[in-house]
Amino acid sequence: MQEPISAITLSQHIVASMPPRARGVFTRIMMELQYCVHMLSTMIKSGGLSDNILGFTGEVNVQEEEVKTLDRLANEILVTRLANSGLFAAIASEELESIVPGSPEADYVIAMDPLDGSSNIDVNVSIGTIFSIKRKISAGGGPEDFFQPAKDQVCAGYVIYSSRTELVIALPGKEVPLFVLDPLTGQFVLDRVLQPRKDAKYYSLNEAYWDKLDENVQEWVRWLRNEPTPFGGKARSARYIGSLVADFHRNLLEGGVFAYPHQKGKKSGKLRLLYEAQPMAMIQSCLSGRASTGWEDLMDLVPTELHQRVPLIVGTSPEVEKYEELLRR
Ligand code: AFP
């Protein structure tokens, strides 16, 4: 990482990566997100010492999950700031049943999981924020703007709140930079540009559901554990944190595959297509990996509901393709 004096900030990096005729909208979008994330990161790192951000609110959200105080705070900060920023025609959030209108004349819409990994908040384990930005195709912002395949995202990214607060973003056909939040300035600065990892060191899956998995999926897990990787690597080791952002981040940096499969006799999954699966699919494919439901490529799957759930298998290509091959058998 560069000395603070010569560090490349997020806004400098975005400006440099935009075409000369760009109007600066994307830079402003990233600045709004940075503002919200800096606030959230400070709250999370103060860990309830200043104000009580731990525990539950007593409410149940559209996912029928008990709402954590930090879930609600993260949702309020992000939705309120972004809806009033003039940059989005509509906002979709994991915490809200329907979309929130923004500025009808704006060119983009954003879908997000304001706080991923809520079950890990009170135990001080890494959590995150996930977002997906698409171009508005309707007149003034509506559900149809969100029902576009992952390959049509104009930007996807996530923030991981851990020992460092890091931001990873993917822009179409572009590199995938990783930024670190400088608590001193509240600015994200460029740490490095991520490189594709072909070899899988890890697999991440909640094995507590073993008996609910299809035989083909069980066979896939046995293959992950026992078969050396095609690149001459050893067999893969298991890692599972229970926050998608944290499990995906480790595997993206070190090489690996994350799986939240369908359960026996079902085709859906737990994770949400719009603001969990699609963003991770785009980031992984920009680093020559793959994302699949097992049956469909997640870069092509067209959403039909705001909170649609899908199986998610995402990571290094050989591991995802083996999953699809076994499922087809
Ligand atoms: P929470 O936000 O409710 O903690 O759920 C986290 C999550 O959506 C995703 O981040 C994890 O990968 C997955 O659920 C964990 O689910 P299991 O607890 O069933 O393994």
Side-chain angles (χ1 to χ4, degrees), residues 116-119 206 209 240 242-244 260 270-272 276:
D116 171 62
S118 324
S119 54
N206 187 339
Y209 301 128
Y240 192 73
S243 297
L244 169 63
Y260 206 108
K270 173 187 179 183
L271 302 183
R272 280 50 60 129
E276 290 179 314

Side-chain angles (χ1 to χ4, degrees), residues 197-301:
R197 305 293 297 211
K198 294 211 172 335
D199 207 10
K201 273 170 82 172
Y202 303 116
Y203 71 93
S204 307
L205 167 124
N206 187 339
E207 302 205 30
Y209 301 128
W210 184 260
D211 300 333
K212 295 196 177 96
L213 296 178
D214 256 347
E215 271 115 44
N216 310 25
V217 179
Q218 291 176 347
E219 189 180 335
W220 179 70
V221 179
R222 281 190 286 272
W223 174 83
L224 290 169
R225 290 180 191 146
N226 305 323
E227 296 305 318
T229 69
F231 302 95
K234 294 186 292 136
R236 303 145 200 87
S237 182
R239 294 279 188 285
Y240 192 73
I241 292 172
S243 297
L244 169 63
V245 164
D247 284 312
F248 178 80
H249 190 64
R250 178 223 307 110
N251 293 344
L252 195 69
L253 271 56
E254 300 274 314
V257 61
F258 170 93
Y260 206 108
H262 65 284
Q263 295 193 348
K264 237 182 260 180
K266 296 190 182 143
K267 277 214 125 178
S268 77
K270 173 187 179 183
L271 302 183
R272 280 50 60 129
L273 178 55
L274 249 63
Y275 39 79
E276 290 179 314
Q278 287 195 324
M280 299 318 196
M282 180 177 175
I283 296 164
Q284 190 71 62
S285 70
C286 281
L287 288 171
S288 53
R290 288 267 335 277
S292 175
T293 63
W295 296 282
E296 300 110 331
D297 188 310
L298 273 162
M299 287 299 278
D300 305 325
L301 183 63

